[in-house]
Amino acid sequence: MSKEIYTGYYMLAALNGDTAFGGISGRISLPNYDKKLQLYFNEKVIASTETQADDNGIYCNFTLAELEGLHSALEKIINDMRKLEALSKQNLLRDEAYIDVDKV
């Protein structure tokens, strides 16, 4: 039975701003505690940031306030993932904290 711990979805917004431009979420896969983050940027920000694509990827331009918001969200989610991993290893998380991947 494969289990994961899901952090929830963190909204991305410019620091001191009220407009969201995406989100970030994290998953910890058990039993090896493999950690992965998923970033999502909404269509509005991609269209307004002079996105450019080439054969290797996409370039996006962000304001300093947006990057500070992204930085803040990354710090929070990384710290939360570390705490969840530590609590899980000490068997201090309730069963509801785990997702049974085989049933999803």
Side-chain angles (χ1 to χ4, degrees):
M1 177 167 63
S2 299
K3 288 186 178 182
E4 288 185 338
I5 303 168
Y6 177 66
T7 62
Y9 186 76
Y10 295 64
M11 184 172 58
L12 297 176
L15 211 58
N16 299 322
D18 59 354
T19 305
F21 63 88
I24 186 171
S25 63
R27 291 187 181 271
I28 303 170
S29 299
L30 304 179
N32 297 330
Y33 292 94
D34 295 324
K35 293 173 268 321
K36 291 187 180 179
L37 292 176
Q38 183 177 39
L39 282 167
Y40 168 79
F41 297 113
N42 65 26
E43 187 176 301
K44 186 184 221 180
V45 75
I46 291 175
S48 68
T49 58
E50 303 172 24
T51 303
Q52 299 173 351
D54 64 17
D55 292 339
N56 298 315
I58 296 174
Y59 300 94
C60 295
N61 296 316
F62 295 96
T63 66
L64 183 58
E66 288 170 336
L67 287 176
E68 289 171 337
L70 176 59
H71 179 262
S72 176
L74 284 168
E75 282 184 327
K76 287 177 188 173
I77 200 166
I78 289 168
N79 286 334
D80 285 353
M81 290 177 78
R82 287 179 180 149
K83 288 176 191 172
L84 287 168
E85 179 181 3
L87 290 170
S88 177
K89 287 181 176 179
Q90 297 172 37
N91 293 320
L92 295 175
L93 289 180
R94 295 174 61 181
D95 290 340
E96 292 84 8
Y98 300 95
I99 298 170
D100 185 353
V101 178
D102 297 329
K103 291 185 180 180
V104 177

XYZ file of all heavy atoms in Angstrom:
821
model
N 0.844 -1.178 0.000
C 0.000 0.000 0.000
C 0.890 1.242 0.000
O 1.724 1.423 0.872
C -0.910 -0.034 1.233
C -1.766 1.175 1.353
S -3.110 1.046 2.544
C -2.278 0.840 4.082
N 0.726 2.097 -1.006
C 1.501 3.335 -1.110
C 0.750 4.473 -0.428
O -0.445 4.653 -0.613
C 1.719 3.701 -2.572
O 2.433 2.685 -3.224
N 1.500 5.245 0.357
C 0.907 6.378 1.056
C 1.683 7.639 0.746
O 2.876 7.598 0.463
C 0.921 6.155 2.570
C -0.045 5.126 3.057
C -0.046 5.099 4.580
C -1.040 4.102 5.110
N -1.071 4.106 6.576
N 0.971 8.761 0.824
C 1.582 10.071 0.655
C 1.042 11.023 1.708
O -0.063 10.851 2.214
C 1.265 10.658 -0.725
C 1.973 9.997 -1.863
C 1.708 10.706 -3.184
O 0.704 11.423 -3.321
O 2.529 10.522 -4.086
N 1.846 12.023 1.967
C 1.411 13.142 2.802
C 1.322 14.337 1.860
O 2.269 14.636 1.130
C 2.413 13.433 3.933
C 2.639 12.197 4.799
C 1.915 14.599 4.786
C 3.815 12.330 5.749
N 0.177 14.998 1.847
C -0.065 16.139 0.965
C -0.081 17.401 1.812
O -0.744 17.464 2.842
C -1.394 15.948 0.237
C -1.804 17.090 -0.644
C -1.063 17.412 -1.780
C -2.924 17.839 -0.360
C -1.430 18.458 -2.602
C -3.323 18.890 -1.189
C -2.573 19.185 -2.302
O -2.945 20.228 -3.110
N 0.655 18.418 1.389
C 0.769 19.644 2.178
C -0.449 20.543 2.069
O -0.671 21.397 2.911
C 1.968 20.491 1.723
O 1.760 20.884 0.368
C 3.264 19.745 1.875
N -1.194 20.407 1.012
C -2.233 21.374 0.722
C -1.718 22.315 -0.348
O -0.568 22.224 -0.778
N -2.558 23.227 -0.764
C -2.254 24.123 -1.870
C -1.997 25.520 -1.312
O -2.821 26.062 -0.594
C -3.446 24.134 -2.832
C -3.251 24.903 -4.099
C -2.474 24.379 -5.122
C -3.849 26.133 -4.292
C -2.302 25.071 -6.305
C -3.689 26.841 -5.475
C -2.918 26.296 -6.480
O -2.745 26.980 -7.646
N -0.859 26.071 -1.606
C -0.493 27.411 -1.170
C -0.686 28.367 -2.338
O -0.124 28.145 -3.408
C 0.964 27.473 -0.734
C 1.303 26.651 0.482
C 1.199 25.273 0.483
C 1.756 27.268 1.639
C 1.523 24.529 1.601
C 2.093 26.535 2.763
C 1.971 25.165 2.731
O 2.294 24.429 3.838
N -1.437 29.411 -2.149
C -1.656 30.393 -3.207
C -0.420 31.273 -3.348
O 0.179 31.682 -2.355
C -2.870 31.257 -2.878
C -3.212 32.227 -3.975
S -4.763 33.106 -3.704
C -4.474 33.886 -2.143
N -0.042 31.565 -4.576
C 1.072 32.465 -4.850
C 0.528 33.844 -5.186
O -0.356 33.984 -6.037
C 1.909 31.957 -6.034
C 2.602 30.619 -5.850
C 3.315 30.220 -7.144
C 3.580 30.673 -4.703
N 1.037 34.846 -4.508
C 0.644 36.234 -4.770
C 1.849 37.113 -4.513
O 2.759 36.749 -3.763
C -0.513 36.645 -3.858
N 1.849 38.274 -5.135
C 2.922 39.231 -4.897
C 2.917 39.608 -3.419
O 1.857 39.721 -2.805
C 2.733 40.468 -5.770
N 4.095 39.775 -2.855
C 4.186 40.171 -1.459
C 3.444 41.481 -1.277
O 3.614 42.418 -2.046
C 5.658 40.329 -1.070
C 6.015 40.015 0.371
C 5.637 38.591 0.734
C 7.485 40.232 0.601
N 2.583 41.533 -0.277
C 1.708 42.686 -0.008
C 0.741 42.959 -1.164
O 0.262 44.073 -1.316
C 2.523 43.952 0.297
C 3.391 43.773 1.514
O 2.979 43.146 2.487
N 4.596 44.289 1.461
N 0.474 41.951 -1.962
C -0.464 42.095 -3.065
C -1.717 41.282 -2.807
O -1.758 40.437 -1.917
N -2.741 41.534 -3.575
C -3.984 40.814 -3.385
C -4.390 39.988 -4.596
O -5.445 39.393 -4.621
C -5.114 41.779 -3.011
C -5.348 42.851 -4.076
O -4.568 42.906 -5.042
O -6.305 43.613 -3.924
N -3.538 39.930 -5.606
C -3.853 39.187 -6.811
C -2.997 37.922 -6.883
O -1.776 37.996 -6.910
C -3.589 40.053 -8.071
O -4.328 41.260 -7.948
C -4.012 39.331 -9.325
N -3.663 36.791 -6.913
C -2.948 35.518 -7.003
C -2.451 35.297 -8.426
O -3.104 35.684 -9.391
C -3.868 34.380 -6.594
N -1.279 34.683 -8.535
C -0.766 34.372 -9.870
C -0.449 32.896 -10.027
O 0.086 32.459 -11.030
C 0.456 35.232 -10.233
C 1.675 35.052 -9.366
C 2.608 34.082 -9.659
C 1.873 35.865 -8.270
C 3.742 33.921 -8.878
C 3.000 35.720 -7.484
C 3.933 34.746 -7.778
N -0.804 32.072 -9.046
C -0.569 30.638 -9.159
C -0.633 29.970 -7.806
O -1.228 30.495 -6.864
N 0.008 28.811 -7.743
C 0.001 28.062 -6.492
C 1.136 27.066 -6.443
O 1.842 26.835 -7.438
N 1.296 26.483 -5.268
C 2.338 25.486 -5.049
C 1.804 24.455 -4.067
O 1.056 24.782 -3.153
C 3.637 26.152 -4.530
C 4.774 25.167 -4.437
C 3.400 26.841 -3.206
C 6.120 25.811 -4.144
N 2.151 23.204 -4.301
C 1.764 22.149 -3.368
C 2.916 21.156 -3.259
O 3.809 21.133 -4.108
C 0.484 21.432 -3.827
O 0.696 20.775 -5.054
N 2.894 20.376 -2.211
C 3.957 19.406 -1.991
C 3.413 18.044 -1.607
O 2.335 17.941 -1.011
N 4.147 17.013 -1.963
C 3.792 15.632 -1.609
C 5.038 14.918 -1.100
O 6.116 15.087 -1.637
C 3.247 14.872 -2.810
C 1.900 15.368 -3.271
C 1.342 14.458 -4.353
N 0.070 14.944 -4.810
C -1.101 14.621 -4.267
N -1.144 13.801 -3.255
N -2.222 15.105 -4.744
N 4.817 14.124 -0.068
C 5.876 13.281 0.482
C 5.425 11.840 0.296
O 4.401 11.432 0.843
C 6.111 13.570 1.974
C 6.437 15.054 2.187
C 7.221 12.674 2.524
C 6.436 15.479 3.643
N 6.167 11.078 -0.502
C 5.816 9.681 -0.774
C 6.514 8.767 0.224
O 7.724 8.880 0.439
C 6.225 9.285 -2.188
O 5.561 10.078 -3.139
N 5.739 7.883 0.820
C 6.273 6.921 1.784
C 6.486 5.586 1.084
O 5.821 5.309 0.100
C 5.293 6.764 2.943
C 4.928 8.061 3.672
C 3.932 7.777 4.764
C 6.152 8.736 4.241
N 7.376 4.762 1.510
C 8.114 4.798 2.772
C 9.469 5.504 2.690
O 10.140 5.679 3.688
C 8.316 3.322 3.088
C 8.457 2.674 1.754
C 7.550 3.458 0.831
N 9.869 5.945 1.489
C 11.209 6.530 1.326
C 11.269 8.025 1.620
O 12.345 8.611 1.576
C 11.731 6.278 -0.091
C 11.907 4.811 -0.374
O 12.173 4.034 0.532
N 11.740 4.416 -1.615
N 10.123 8.642 1.853
C 10.036 10.070 2.119
C 10.593 10.906 0.958
O 11.302 11.865 1.152
C 10.712 10.437 3.446
C 9.952 9.878 4.625
C 10.296 8.647 5.172
C 8.883 10.571 5.170
C 9.585 8.126 6.248
C 8.168 10.055 6.229
C 8.522 8.829 6.773
O 7.804 8.318 7.822
N 10.238 10.481 -0.263
C 10.592 11.258 -1.448
C 9.693 12.488 -1.481
O 8.474 12.377 -1.353
C 10.390 10.437 -2.721
C 11.317 9.245 -2.793
O 12.480 9.369 -2.345
O 10.889 8.193 -3.291
N 10.291 13.658 -1.688
C 9.541 14.908 -1.649
C 9.518 15.548 -3.034
O 10.540 15.610 -3.702
C 10.157 15.856 -0.625
C 10.010 15.367 0.806
C 10.763 16.225 1.784
C 12.146 15.811 2.105
N 12.511 14.456 2.269
N 8.326 16.031 -3.430
C 8.173 16.720 -4.707
C 7.269 17.924 -4.515
O 6.294 17.877 -3.772
C 7.563 15.800 -5.759
C 8.490 14.688 -6.181
C 7.932 13.911 -7.327
C 8.929 12.817 -7.693
N 8.466 11.999 -8.787
N 7.618 18.997 -5.207
C 6.803 20.208 -5.228
C 6.194 20.364 -6.613
O 6.826 20.027 -7.619
C 7.648 21.444 -4.937
C 8.227 21.590 -3.543
C 9.111 22.824 -3.469
C 7.125 21.682 -2.512
N 4.994 20.901 -6.649
C 4.361 21.194 -7.924
C 4.024 22.683 -7.947
O 3.369 23.196 -7.046
C 3.092 20.374 -8.101
C 2.436 20.601 -9.441
C 1.218 19.717 -9.631
O 0.454 19.495 -8.699
N 1.054 19.213 -10.827
N 4.514 23.376 -8.968
C 4.248 24.801 -9.159
C 3.213 24.977 -10.259
O 3.268 24.288 -11.281
C 5.516 25.538 -9.593
C 6.532 25.853 -8.515
C 7.833 26.292 -9.145
C 6.011 26.942 -7.602
N 2.300 25.908 -10.033
C 1.288 26.235 -11.029
C 1.264 27.748 -11.205
O 1.206 28.484 -10.222
C -0.095 25.745 -10.560
C -1.223 26.296 -11.383
C -1.517 25.755 -12.622
C -1.988 27.359 -10.924
C -2.540 26.270 -13.393
C -3.024 27.877 -11.690
C -3.303 27.326 -12.920
O -4.307 27.836 -13.677
N 1.364 28.202 -12.439
C 1.232 29.619 -12.751
C -0.007 29.780 -13.616
O -0.140 29.108 -14.636
C 2.467 30.165 -13.488
C 3.717 30.084 -12.674
C 4.743 29.237 -13.038
C 3.875 30.850 -11.533
C 5.908 29.155 -12.299
C 5.029 30.773 -10.774
C 6.041 29.927 -11.154
N -0.906 30.676 -13.201
C -2.154 30.810 -13.946
C -1.937 31.503 -15.290
O -0.911 32.125 -15.546
C -3.246 31.481 -13.114
C -2.950 32.917 -12.760
O -2.222 33.603 -13.462
N -3.520 33.373 -11.670
N -2.931 31.348 -16.129
C -2.867 31.860 -17.497
C -2.680 33.369 -17.528
O -1.969 33.903 -18.375
C -4.161 31.469 -18.209
C -4.189 31.764 -19.677
C -5.466 31.257 -20.300
O -5.731 30.048 -20.215
O -6.200 32.079 -20.858
N -3.291 34.045 -16.593
C -3.235 35.510 -16.544
C -1.790 36.002 -16.382
O -1.341 36.895 -17.088
C -4.088 35.997 -15.387
C -4.245 37.476 -15.291
C -5.035 37.797 -14.027
C -6.032 38.879 -14.257
N -6.787 39.205 -13.059
N -1.040 35.416 -15.465
C 0.329 35.869 -15.235
C 1.240 35.483 -16.391
O 2.104 36.250 -16.785
C 0.897 35.382 -13.897
C 1.274 33.922 -13.925
C 2.107 36.197 -13.509
N 1.029 34.338 -16.949
C 1.874 33.916 -18.064
C 1.639 34.830 -19.270
O 2.579 35.253 -19.933
C 1.643 32.435 -18.412
C 2.188 31.563 -17.277
C 2.298 32.066 -19.732
C 1.924 30.099 -17.425
N 0.387 35.181 -19.525
C 0.073 36.063 -20.649
C 0.604 37.475 -20.419
O 0.999 38.150 -21.360
C -1.433 36.107 -20.856
N 0.655 37.908 -19.157
C 1.071 39.284 -18.881
C 2.554 39.419 -18.569
O 3.028 40.512 -18.308
C 0.266 39.838 -17.703
O 0.618 39.157 -16.515
N 3.310 38.346 -18.626
C 4.726 38.430 -18.273
C 5.644 38.281 -19.477
O 6.792 37.919 -19.333
C 5.106 37.356 -17.234
O 4.806 36.074 -17.766
C 4.408 37.576 -15.925
N 5.116 38.532 -20.643
C 5.937 38.450 -21.847
C 6.616 37.088 -21.955
O 7.816 36.972 -22.176
C 6.974 39.566 -21.873
C 6.394 40.959 -21.794
C 7.456 42.022 -21.616
O 8.609 41.777 -21.997
O 7.129 43.080 -21.089
N 5.824 36.030 -21.762
C 6.352 34.673 -21.830
C 6.924 34.396 -23.214
O 6.322 34.726 -24.217
C 5.241 33.655 -21.526
O 4.698 33.952 -20.256
C 5.762 32.242 -21.518
N 8.086 33.793 -23.220
C 8.729 33.410 -24.460
C 9.081 31.932 -24.368
O 9.531 31.465 -23.327
C 9.992 34.222 -24.692
C 9.754 35.712 -24.799
C 11.058 36.487 -24.852
O 12.131 35.930 -24.650
N 10.965 37.772 -25.126
N 8.868 31.233 -25.457
C 9.201 29.807 -25.485
C 10.259 29.549 -26.543
O 10.321 30.244 -27.558
C 7.956 28.987 -25.780
N 11.103 28.564 -26.257
C 12.031 28.087 -27.266
C 11.975 26.565 -27.232
O 11.094 25.990 -26.612
C 13.442 28.638 -27.051
C 14.097 28.176 -25.764
O 13.624 27.180 -25.163
O 15.090 28.795 -25.340
N 12.906 25.923 -27.889
C 12.889 24.465 -27.960
C 13.145 23.805 -26.609
O 12.830 22.632 -26.422
C 13.931 23.969 -28.963
C 13.568 24.339 -30.387
O 12.378 24.618 -30.658
O 14.489 24.365 -31.237
N 13.714 24.551 -25.669
C 14.106 23.963 -24.392
C 13.214 24.340 -23.216
O 13.326 23.748 -22.155
C 15.544 24.368 -24.051
C 16.517 23.851 -25.080
O 16.454 22.707 -25.486
N 17.404 24.716 -25.529
N 12.350 25.336 -23.353
C 11.529 25.722 -22.219
C 10.804 27.034 -22.426
O 10.693 27.536 -23.546
N 10.338 27.583 -21.318
C 9.576 28.827 -21.327
C 10.249 29.833 -20.406
O 10.669 29.486 -19.302
C 8.132 28.583 -20.853
C 7.398 27.666 -21.825
C 7.364 29.882 -20.700
C 6.020 27.267 -21.371
N 10.345 31.067 -20.860
C 10.871 32.152 -20.042
C 9.699 32.985 -19.543
O 8.829 33.360 -20.334
C 11.795 33.057 -20.860
C 12.992 32.345 -21.438
C 12.945 31.825 -22.723
C 14.148 32.194 -20.690
C 14.040 31.160 -23.258
C 15.247 31.548 -21.221
C 15.190 31.029 -22.510
O 16.273 30.376 -23.025
N 9.673 33.282 -18.250
C 8.636 34.131 -17.680
C 9.296 35.278 -16.933
O 10.305 35.090 -16.266
C 7.755 33.352 -16.701
S 6.791 32.058 -17.457
N 8.713 36.448 -17.057
C 9.195 37.615 -16.324
C 8.261 37.871 -15.151
O 7.038 37.863 -15.312
C 9.214 38.844 -17.232
C 10.183 38.676 -18.376
O 11.293 38.209 -18.191
N 9.759 39.041 -19.574
N 8.817 38.095 -13.980
C 8.039 38.383 -12.783
C 8.558 39.658 -12.146
O 9.738 39.983 -12.246
C 8.145 37.236 -11.770
C 7.545 35.960 -12.250
C 8.325 34.984 -12.846
C 6.188 35.724 -12.112
C 7.771 33.802 -13.296
C 5.621 34.546 -12.557
C 6.410 33.578 -13.154
N 7.667 40.350 -11.458
C 8.090 41.530 -10.715
C 8.842 41.076 -9.470
O 8.733 39.909 -9.048
C 6.882 42.382 -10.285
O 6.115 41.638 -9.343
C 6.026 42.779 -11.482
N 9.573 41.969 -8.869
C 10.282 41.649 -7.634
C 9.291 41.244 -6.544
O 9.529 40.290 -5.802
C 11.130 42.832 -7.172
C 11.972 42.590 -5.923
C 12.918 41.415 -6.107
C 12.749 43.835 -5.557
N 8.152 41.932 -6.461
C 7.137 41.593 -5.454
C 6.595 40.178 -5.672
O 6.359 39.438 -4.712
C 6.002 42.606 -5.474
N 6.404 39.788 -6.933
C 5.934 38.426 -7.214
C 6.993 37.401 -6.829
O 6.678 36.356 -6.263
C 5.572 38.291 -8.694
C 4.302 39.025 -9.076
C 4.074 39.096 -10.569
O 5.051 39.002 -11.356
O 2.912 39.268 -10.957
N 8.255 37.688 -7.129
C 9.332 36.766 -6.748
C 9.466 36.664 -5.239
O 9.737 35.579 -4.704
C 10.656 37.202 -7.379
C 10.765 36.967 -8.878
C 12.074 37.535 -9.405
C 10.651 35.500 -9.211
N 9.282 37.764 -4.534
C 9.310 37.713 -3.071
C 8.158 36.869 -2.537
O 8.322 36.116 -1.576
C 9.270 39.122 -2.486
C 10.563 39.885 -2.696
C 10.471 41.349 -2.308
O 9.359 41.922 -2.286
O 11.540 41.941 -2.027
N 6.992 36.971 -3.167
C 5.855 36.135 -2.783
C 6.132 34.666 -3.037
O 5.815 33.805 -2.214
N 6.745 34.353 -4.182
C 7.127 32.972 -4.504
C 8.153 32.467 -3.507
O 8.044 31.344 -2.997
C 7.668 32.896 -5.933
C 8.193 31.554 -6.409
C 7.123 30.476 -6.330
C 8.730 31.674 -7.831
N 9.138 33.274 -3.189
C 10.169 32.908 -2.223
C 9.547 32.597 -0.859
O 9.874 31.590 -0.221
C 11.194 34.036 -2.106
C 12.274 33.770 -1.116
N 12.241 34.268 0.162
C 13.408 33.042 -1.201
C 13.301 33.861 0.815
N 14.034 33.120 0.002
N 8.637 33.440 -0.424
C 7.973 33.242 0.860
C 7.176 31.939 0.871
O 7.237 31.165 1.836
C 7.048 34.428 1.148
O 6.325 34.236 2.327
N 6.444 31.671 -0.202
C 5.656 30.436 -0.285
C 6.563 29.206 -0.299
O 6.262 28.194 0.343
C 4.767 30.461 -1.520
N 7.682 29.292 -1.028
C 8.629 28.165 -1.064
C 9.212 27.890 0.323
O 9.323 26.732 0.738
C 9.754 28.436 -2.062
C 9.395 28.276 -3.533
C 10.490 28.847 -4.413
C 9.138 26.821 -3.857
N 9.588 28.935 1.038
C 10.108 28.744 2.398
C 9.076 28.066 3.296
O 9.402 27.143 4.040
C 10.506 30.087 3.014
C 11.829 30.623 2.543
C 12.199 31.908 3.265
O 11.303 32.704 3.624
O 13.405 32.103 3.487
N 7.827 28.513 3.209
C 6.767 27.951 4.048
C 6.532 26.486 3.734
O 6.446 25.655 4.642
C 5.467 28.737 3.867
C 5.497 30.096 4.507
C 4.210 30.863 4.232
C 4.330 32.291 4.708
N 3.183 33.104 4.323
N 6.415 26.164 2.455
C 6.091 24.788 2.099
C 7.256 23.846 2.393
O 7.058 22.720 2.841
C 5.602 24.665 0.641
C 4.826 23.361 0.464
C 6.729 24.775 -0.346
C 4.030 23.294 -0.808
N 8.484 24.299 2.194
C 9.645 23.463 2.514
C 9.713 23.203 4.018
O 9.933 22.066 4.458
C 10.947 24.091 1.976
C 10.972 24.001 0.449
C 12.182 23.423 2.573
C 12.054 24.820 -0.215
N 9.493 24.229 4.823
C 9.479 24.042 6.273
C 8.349 23.122 6.699
O 8.533 22.253 7.567
C 9.367 25.392 6.994
C 10.658 26.168 6.941
O 11.745 25.604 6.820
N 10.551 27.482 7.019
N 7.164 23.281 6.105
C 6.035 22.408 6.446
C 6.324 20.956 6.066
O 5.989 20.032 6.807
C 4.758 22.881 5.758
C 4.171 24.125 6.410
O 4.681 24.545 7.475
O 3.196 24.667 5.852
N 6.972 20.754 4.911
C 7.302 19.393 4.496
C 8.308 18.760 5.456
O 8.193 17.583 5.789
C 7.826 19.376 3.062
C 6.731 19.690 2.044
S 7.333 19.754 0.352
C 7.445 18.009 -0.012
N 9.269 19.538 5.919
C 10.244 19.016 6.887
C 9.554 18.635 8.200
O 9.852 17.599 8.794
C 11.333 20.050 7.147
C 12.294 20.202 5.989
C 13.339 21.254 6.273
N 14.255 21.377 5.149
C 14.859 22.490 4.800
N 14.672 23.601 5.483
N 15.675 22.523 3.767
N 8.625 19.495 8.658
C 7.892 19.206 9.893
C 7.021 17.967 9.745
O 6.991 17.112 10.636
C 7.016 20.400 10.287
C 7.789 21.583 10.792
C 6.858 22.759 11.058
C 7.652 24.023 11.308
N 6.793 25.210 11.389
N 6.309 17.866 8.615
C 5.451 16.698 8.387
C 6.270 15.414 8.324
O 5.877 14.385 8.868
C 4.638 16.880 7.102
C 3.504 17.888 7.171
C 2.980 18.200 5.771
C 2.386 17.374 8.068
N 7.430 15.471 7.671
C 8.298 14.290 7.603
C 8.768 13.888 8.997
O 8.717 12.712 9.368
C 9.504 14.565 6.708
C 10.465 13.388 6.624
C 11.680 13.664 5.764
O 11.845 14.783 5.248
O 12.493 12.733 5.610
N 9.194 14.852 9.788
C 9.669 14.553 11.142
C 8.554 13.975 12.003
O 8.764 12.990 12.723
C 10.237 15.813 11.792
N 7.367 14.551 11.923
C 6.235 14.039 12.701
C 5.856 12.627 12.257
O 5.540 11.773 13.088
C 5.033 14.980 12.569
C 5.165 16.329 13.257
C 4.018 17.242 12.855
C 5.224 16.152 14.770
N 5.902 12.390 10.945
C 5.575 11.064 10.429
C 6.579 10.013 10.916
O 6.194 8.918 11.320
C 5.539 11.088 8.903
O 5.301 9.802 8.381
N 7.852 10.358 10.892
C 8.888 9.418 11.333
C 8.773 9.091 12.823
O 9.207 8.030 13.263
C 10.281 9.966 11.011
C 10.605 9.905 9.531
C 11.988 10.432 9.239
C 12.335 10.280 7.773
N 13.675 10.798 7.455
N 8.157 10.012 13.585
C 7.960 9.792 15.023
C 6.573 9.221 15.319
O 6.186 9.092 16.481
C 8.122 11.116 15.776
C 9.498 11.711 15.671
C 9.535 13.109 16.265
O 8.883 13.388 17.261
N 10.299 13.997 15.643
N 5.831 8.865 14.244
C 4.467 8.347 14.374
C 3.557 9.297 15.137
O 2.717 8.874 15.940
C 4.464 6.958 15.023
C 5.105 5.922 14.149
O 4.914 5.933 12.943
N 5.892 5.046 14.744
N 3.691 10.593 14.889
C 2.886 11.594 15.573
C 1.794 12.199 14.688
O 1.089 13.102 15.124
C 3.785 12.711 16.126
C 4.769 12.279 17.214
C 5.687 13.429 17.591
C 4.009 11.770 18.434
N 1.649 11.703 13.459
C 0.589 12.186 12.575
C -0.620 11.258 12.666
O -0.471 10.040 12.772
C 1.064 12.241 11.123
C 2.070 13.314 10.753
C 2.429 13.204 9.265
C 1.545 14.694 11.058
N -1.789 11.849 12.614
C -3.012 11.056 12.609
C -3.154 10.359 11.263
O -2.596 10.792 10.253
C -4.215 11.960 12.871
C -4.170 12.574 14.259
C -5.257 13.574 14.467
N -6.560 12.939 14.324
C -7.702 13.585 14.437
N -7.702 14.884 14.672
N -8.849 12.966 14.297
N -3.929 9.289 11.220
C -4.142 8.545 9.975
C -4.707 9.426 8.864
O -4.440 9.202 7.692
C -5.073 7.357 10.216
C -4.412 6.263 11.047
O -3.161 6.231 11.112
O -5.149 5.447 11.629
N -5.488 10.434 9.244
C -6.101 11.328 8.264
C -5.064 12.161 7.505
O -5.372 12.751 6.466
C -7.105 12.266 8.942
C -8.328 11.558 9.473
C -8.122 10.961 10.858
O -7.082 11.212 11.505
O -9.010 10.202 11.290
N -3.846 12.240 8.010
C -2.794 13.016 7.354
C -2.237 12.293 6.130
O -1.590 12.915 5.291
C -1.655 13.307 8.334
N -2.519 11.008 6.014
C -1.961 10.203 4.919
C -3.017 9.954 3.853
O -4.191 9.762 4.151
C -1.451 8.860 5.445
C -0.362 8.995 6.472
C -0.669 8.989 7.827
C 0.962 9.130 6.096
C 0.330 9.116 8.789
C 1.967 9.270 7.038
C 1.640 9.262 8.383
O 2.620 9.395 9.313
N -2.564 9.960 2.612
C -3.427 9.634 1.471
C -3.013 8.244 0.976
O -1.824 7.997 0.745
C -3.238 10.654 0.329
C -3.646 12.046 0.794
C -4.048 10.232 -0.896
C -3.262 13.121 -0.205
N -3.996 7.363 0.835
C -3.730 6.039 0.267
C -3.719 6.191 -1.244
O -4.769 6.342 -1.867
C -4.795 5.047 0.731
C -4.501 3.627 0.280
O -3.546 3.410 -0.498
O -5.225 2.719 0.728
N -2.546 6.184 -1.839
C -2.379 6.429 -3.274
C -3.080 5.368 -4.098
O -3.594 5.640 -5.192
C -0.875 6.512 -3.647
C -0.682 6.714 -5.132
C -0.210 7.600 -2.864
N -3.159 4.145 -3.617
C -3.785 3.060 -4.362
C -5.298 3.262 -4.519
O -5.907 2.734 -5.438
C -3.527 1.720 -3.672
C -2.041 1.383 -3.627
O -1.304 1.801 -4.555
O -1.617 0.729 -2.661
N -5.894 4.052 -3.621
C -7.351 4.274 -3.684
C -7.708 5.531 -4.461
O -8.869 5.782 -4.728
C -7.916 4.376 -2.279
C -7.884 3.085 -1.520
C -8.559 3.229 -0.179
C -8.538 1.913 0.589
N -9.195 2.034 1.887
N -6.717 6.334 -4.814
C -6.996 7.592 -5.522
C -7.077 7.359 -6.995
O -6.452 6.606 -7.604
C -5.916 8.653 -5.189
C -6.163 9.922 -5.972
C -5.895 8.917 -3.719
